[in-house]
Amino acid sequence: MGVLEALASVSRYIPAVERPARRPPLPTRLAWTGIVVLLYLIMSEIPLYGVLGYQQQQSQALASLILGMNLGSLMTLGIGPIVTAGIVLEVLVGGGLIEMDLTRPRDRKVFMGAQRTLALVFAFLEAAAYAAGCQFWATALGGGGCPVGASIKILVVIQLVVATLILLWFDELVRNGWGIGSALSLFIVANVLKGFAWHLAGPIKVSDNPVEYYGWLAHVIKTGDFAFLRHGLPDFVGFIATIAIVMILIYFQLMRVYIPVTSPRYGSIKTRIPLNFIYVTNIPILFVGIVVSDIAVFYQMVAGITGPDSPVARGLEVLYHYVRPPRGLLDAAADPLRTLVFAVSWLILGLFFGFIWVEIAGLSPRHQAENLVRSGMELPGLRRNVKLLERILARYIYPLTVISSLLVAAMAVLADIFGAYGTGSGLVLLVGIVYNFYQTLAYERTLEMYPMLQRLIGS
């Protein structure tokens, strides 16, 4: 644990948001949460000093929605460095490569401190790669050299690292009791909703076809063309697919699988433990989206440094071409091979990350069996033996992991093939995050209504 402790010791010198001495009222916390999301959206539109005036490349749609990236703005890196740092540390700890017990306050403090430092390290490395490759400036990929000096590049790196630090403060402010939920999750929701609004009503003319408007509804109103299907642009089929996918995801989100248990401590009272049918939640599709987005980000950085025709850049470009989501039915039908590779790769990655998440998040049969034994519960007709309980629970948990991982990935794949607004992975994340936020809000509202309950649970 030496490396993590070293990273955590560095974080002591990084300013942090402290917990409030007294829990603010629920309306105040909601207000702070809304202010944080609003400030994030404003930052995503503020251009970097030293970049304004040069032609900018558009952010990849998936990277923009999942990681909140907007190239050339303060949110050029988005939440990528923070999320990547968290994933790396969770995999190391959950996989047993680093021995830590996150239920202990000290280990949890070390973990969070190391994550803050590592996020800033990743932000510095990504920002330096963008600046060194002259990614932000018009002549970077055109062979004409870089039009700015080292001082501007250093200033851009500093701006991006500071922007990442501000996002860390936003997340800490919300998590530490000033707000509700997770700021990073709400940033994803804000990006997906913004993408949905642009897909639906973006009043911008398409550059390569000036008679068409980007947003489907705007196109219908401006031209009178119903736009049942459009190549690479929002259409009526995508609108219907969005509604259908959201309704299906909500239905699956509410489904439960019940395991009967008894409690010898309380006269063998019988009850049932509910397991979510979407057992892996939306985490696998988040991981898949981050991996695919990172491929696009790495391509942009490598192409800026080595040129777009270098072997590494070309390899990344081809890889991203085959794993990126299609933009509607016509785009999917135009290249069936790419669509097939996309669908299969996302299903495989979703299943892979689903099993990884179950193991590192304490959702495996072993962890659940240990939790049952510690709580004094047992399965009817079985003695309280952890290994025996683990084998029984595995009959429920592993099939649920396979089904839910494939189901979540399949929903995202189908949504992208049919051109759903906000992308398939964005809709999956949107439904899961909003549902979790609703549960958190209901819990907080209950504590507000019953102060005695708040004192009993020590909240």
Side-chain angles (χ1 to χ4, degrees), residues 55-56 58 202-215 219 230-233 327:
Q55 180 183 356
Q56 297 303 302
Q58 292 184 349
I204 304 298
K205 285 188 176 182
V206 180
S207 58
D208 57 353
N209 190 352
V211 300
E212 285 194 304
Y213 288 81
Y214 182 77
H219 179 77
R230 293 199 293 173
H231 187 82
L233 294 172
R327 301 178 63 185

Side-chain angles (χ1 to χ4, degrees), residues 147-451:
V148 298
S151 59
I152 293 295
K153 292 182 179 181
I154 293 173
L155 185 58
V156 166
V157 172
I158 293 174
Q159 291 176 83
L160 293 178
V161 174
V162 172
T164 301
L165 178 59
I166 292 174
L167 288 187
L168 279 173
W169 289 339
F170 285 167
D171 191 48
E172 290 171 357
L173 185 144
V174 174
R175 285 182 178 273
N176 288 350
W178 295 100
I180 296 176
S182 165
L184 300 183
S185 297
L186 295 177
F187 295 159
I188 294 175
V189 170
N191 286 316
V192 174
L193 291 177
K194 184 169 67 172
F196 174 83
W198 275 103
H199 279 84
L200 179 63
I204 304 298
K205 285 188 176 182
V206 180
S207 58
D208 57 353
N209 190 352
V211 300
E212 285 194 304
Y213 288 81
Y214 182 77
W216 170 73
L217 187 59
H219 179 77
V220 173
I221 294 174
K222 296 282 187 179
T223 67
D225 178 18
F226 193 69
F228 188 80
L229 282 173
R230 293 199 293 173
H231 187 82
L233 294 172
D235 51 35
F236 178 71
V237 171
F239 178 70
I240 297 299
T242 303
I243 297 175
I245 292 295
V246 169
M247 293 178 66
I248 293 171
L249 287 171
I250 293 174
Y251 177 77
F252 285 139
Q253 193 75 49
L254 298 176
M255 289 180 62
R256 299 289 184 270
V257 175
Y258 293 92
I259 300 178
V261 295
T262 61
S263 176
R265 294 181 182 178
Y266 303 102
S268 296
I269 187 173
K270 294 183 179 181
T271 186
R272 297 184 302 172
I273 295 179
L275 297 179
N276 292 331
F277 180 71
I278 306 296
Y279 190 68
V280 295
T281 65
N282 54 14
I283 297 300
I285 207 64
L286 175 62
F287 285 2
V288 175
I290 290 173
V291 168
V292 176
S293 300
D294 282 343
I295 293 174
V297 172
F298 290 149
Y299 163 70
Q300 291 173 340
M301 291 191 298
V302 171
I305 296 174
T306 65
D309 296 326
S310 67
V312 177
R314 290 292 299 168
L316 289 173
E317 184 182 20
V318 171
L319 177 61
Y320 181 69
H321 172 75
Y322 280 100
V323 298
R324 70 174 178 86
R327 301 178 63 185
L329 273 176
L330 294 181
D331 188 29
D335 193 345
L337 177 61
R338 181 178 70 83
T339 303
L340 178 62
V341 173
F342 153 74
V344 173
S345 62
W346 277 57
L347 290 172
I348 293 175
L349 286 173
L351 184 61
F352 173 72
F353 285 123
F355 272 96
I356 286 183
W357 180 247
V358 164
E359 293 298 327
I360 69 177
L363 301 175
S364 66
R366 178 174 60 85
H367 284 96
Q368 298 286 30
E370 292 173 351
N371 292 336
L372 277 177
V373 171
R374 281 197 296 265
S375 63
M377 309 296 287
E378 62 184 33
L379 298 180
L382 298 176
R383 63 181 183 274
R384 297 178 62 200
N385 181 283
V386 173
K387 292 189 176 298
L388 184 59
L389 287 175
E390 180 183 348
R391 287 200 298 269
I392 299 299
L393 290 176
R395 300 176 186 174
Y396 294 89
I397 291 176
Y398 285 136
L400 270 181
T401 301
V402 173
I403 293 172
S404 59
S405 298
L406 292 177
L407 186 61
V408 168
M411 288 293 99
V413 167
L414 287 175
D416 284 322
I417 290 176
F418 283 94
Y421 300 174
T423 74
S425 52
L427 292 181
V428 172
L429 293 171
L430 174 68
V431 172
I433 293 171
V434 170
Y435 179 74
N436 290 334
F437 185 80
Y438 167 77
Q439 288 184 314
T440 303
L441 190 60
Y443 171 77
E444 296 291 342
R445 179 59 179 158
T446 302
L447 294 183
E448 288 268 321
M449 294 174 61
Y450 303 101

Side-chain angles (χ1 to χ4, degrees), residues 20-195:
R22 186 176 182 181
R23 179 190 291 264
L26 185 58
T28 302
R29 299 172 68 191
L30 282 172
W32 274 114
T33 304
I35 291 172
V36 163
V37 175
L38 179 61
L39 291 175
Y40 162 77
L41 292 174
I42 293 174
M43 289 177 63
S44 67
E45 302 299 329
I46 298 177
L48 292 166
Y49 179 80
V51 172
L52 185 62
Y54 292 94
Q55 180 183 356
Q56 297 303 302
Q57 290 191 1
Q58 292 184 349
S59 302
Q60 299 290 345
L62 190 62
S64 176
L65 290 172
I66 302 299
L67 301 181
M69 297 176 59
N70 187 17
L71 290 184
S73 75
L74 290 176
M75 289 296 99
T76 291
L77 305 181
I79 63 175
I82 303 174
V83 174
T84 304
I87 291 175
V88 169
L89 292 181
E90 285 178 358
V91 169
L92 291 176
V93 174
L97 299 178
I98 296 179
E99 293 293 334
M100 292 190 73
D101 183 3
L102 298 182
T103 61
R104 294 190 300 182
R106 180 186 178 278
D107 286 0
R108 184 67 180 173
K109 185 177 181 180
V110 170
F111 181 90
M112 297 302 294
Q115 182 179 351
R116 298 176 77 241
T117 305
L118 193 59
L120 293 180
V121 171
F122 284 159
F124 172 78
L125 294 176
E126 289 184 31
Y130 272 117
C134 214
Q135 183 68 42
F136 301 113
W137 298 279
T139 57
L141 302 180
C146 192
V148 298
S151 59
I152 293 295
K153 292 182 179 181
I154 293 173
L155 185 58
V156 166
V157 172
I158 293 174
Q159 291 176 83
L160 293 178
V161 174
V162 172
T164 301
L165 178 59
I166 292 174
L167 288 187
L168 279 173
W169 289 339
F170 285 167
D171 191 48
E172 290 171 357
L173 185 144
V174 174
R175 285 182 178 273
N176 288 350
W178 295 100
I180 296 176
S182 165
L184 300 183
S185 297
L186 295 177
F187 295 159
I188 294 175
V189 170
N191 286 316
V192 174
L193 291 177
K194 184 169 67 172

